[in-house]
Amino acid sequence: MITALPMKMKTYLLLFVLLVTSGWVCAQNVPAHNQQKPIMDTIKTTHFENGMLAPKKKYKNKKDHARFGIKYYYNAESPQMVRNLQSDYQNSGYVDIIRKSTFGPSLRIPLGRTFYLQTEALFGLYSNWEAAAEGSDKFWDQFSYCLSNRTGSYMWVPLYVGVRWAPATIFALKGFVGPQVDFLLTQGNISFVKDYYSIVAGAGLDLFRVFSFELGYRVAMNRLSVVEYSGHWFLATSLMF
């Protein structure tokens, strides 16, 4: 029947058959190409574990437990801590460093995997710093003099609310903010400083779940008003257990 058709009709018929055949071949190739997508998606959501393909675990912030620590603060006028330490030492040996230091226990309580509460009791001294500087240039001699001849002591009690992000077991980043109340310790008596408190904010780094380093800023408040020229920076380090 095909042989009976004119040459022109045969040509059109052959072209039609070629087009249909080409379209069928292309249609067969489309599923083979699309089959690669699920494979790539599987690779992205899996990893090799013990030589086998396993689903990737969803990241979870490393959970911490309640920690007790011993903490030291160095309080300064600017965030350039190294320069401040050098200047204090050159001016008075260890006297200004002792005068600007607070020391005491701390307690951190985690609230889930991200948030935490932390409170501290930080002690400092009032003393005759000039006499201490003139007597000796050794740290323990100056510290002993300041402690023995102190005119008073004080205690700072901050309460921080913090956020902690631990991408690995060995370190964690954190930020915190909260109020601080002050107490005067004179002749065995403890008196609360009425109407005055401080607002504290800072950030830090935990290492190996043992060491902690923080840099922050503290400003004194008189009820709802900022006390002029009361702001200062601090560098803190602590051992946590």
Side-chain angles (χ1 to χ4, degrees):
M1 183 176 179
I2 295 177
T3 54
L5 295 173
M7 182 61 66
K8 191 173 183 180
M9 292 296 295
K10 289 181 180 180
T11 303
Y12 288 152
L13 184 59
L14 288 173
L15 288 174
F16 176 76
V17 172
L18 287 174
L19 288 174
V20 172
T21 305
S22 300
W24 181 81
V25 171
C26 291
Q28 293 297 318
N29 290 335
V30 169
H33 176 71
N34 289 341
Q35 287 178 0
Q36 294 178 2
K37 277 192 173 182
I39 296 174
M40 294 304 296
D41 292 341
T42 302
I43 293 174
K44 289 179 182 179
T45 57
T46 57
H47 71 292
F48 284 96
E49 186 175 310
N50 298 326
M52 300 181 64
L53 199 64
K56 285 186 178 180
K57 297 178 181 179
K58 186 178 179 181
Y59 169 75
K60 284 187 177 181
N61 198 11
K62 301 295 181 182
K63 192 173 182 179
D64 200 11
H65 57 80
R67 293 186 177 277
F68 174 79
I70 301 297
K71 198 163 189 177
Y72 167 79
Y73 278 79
Y74 170 68
N75 305 284
E77 293 76 15
S78 73
Q80 300 173 338
M81 294 299 169
V82 175
R83 182 179 296 179
N84 291 328
L85 284 167
Q86 290 175 343
S87 177
D88 288 343
Y89 181 77
Q90 290 171 357
N91 291 336
S92 63
Y94 298 103
V95 171
D96 279 337
I97 297 175
I98 297 171
R99 178 172 61 88
K100 296 178 180 179
S101 296
T102 52
F103 179 83
S106 67
L107 176 64
R108 186 168 73 194
I109 303 173
L111 304 175
R113 294 181 178 271
T114 303
F115 298 96
Y116 67 88
L117 284 177
Q118 182 165 317
T119 186
E120 301 164 357
L122 307 170
F123 296 88
L125 301 175
Y126 296 116
S127 186
N128 187 339
W129 307 107
E130 293 182 1
E134 293 172 357
S136 174
D137 59 354
K138 295 181 180 179
F139 173 78
W140 287 114
D141 291 341
Q142 293 180 349
F143 180 76
S144 297
Y145 181 91
C146 293
L147 185 62
S148 301
N149 298 274
R150 65 185 181 276
T151 56
S153 305
Y154 60 90
M155 179 174 64
W156 293 344
V157 182
L159 178 62
Y160 303 140
V161 177
V163 177
R164 184 175 178 273
W165 179 62
T169 305
I170 61 173
F171 79 96
L173 302 175
K174 59 184 180 179
F176 55 90
V177 65
Q180 171 191 291
V181 294
D182 301 344
F183 297 88
L184 292 178
L185 311 176
T186 55
Q187 299 177 351
N189 298 321
I190 301 177
S191 58
F192 174 65
V193 182
K194 295 181 180 180
D195 297 332
Y196 286 88
Y197 63 98
S198 298
I199 297 295
V200 186
L205 171 69
D206 292 344
L207 285 178
F208 305 108
R209 296 195 174 187
V210 177
F211 306 101
S212 179
F213 305 94
E214 297 170 356
L215 179 66
Y217 187 76
R218 180 184 291 108
V219 63
M221 304 288 293
N222 182 2
R223 295 187 179 180
L224 298 178
S225 302
V226 177
V227 177
E228 194 173 3
Y229 306 118
S230 66
H232 62 266
W233 295 83
F234 63 82
L235 178 67
T237 179
S238 60
L239 288 176
M240 300 183 299
F241 306 97

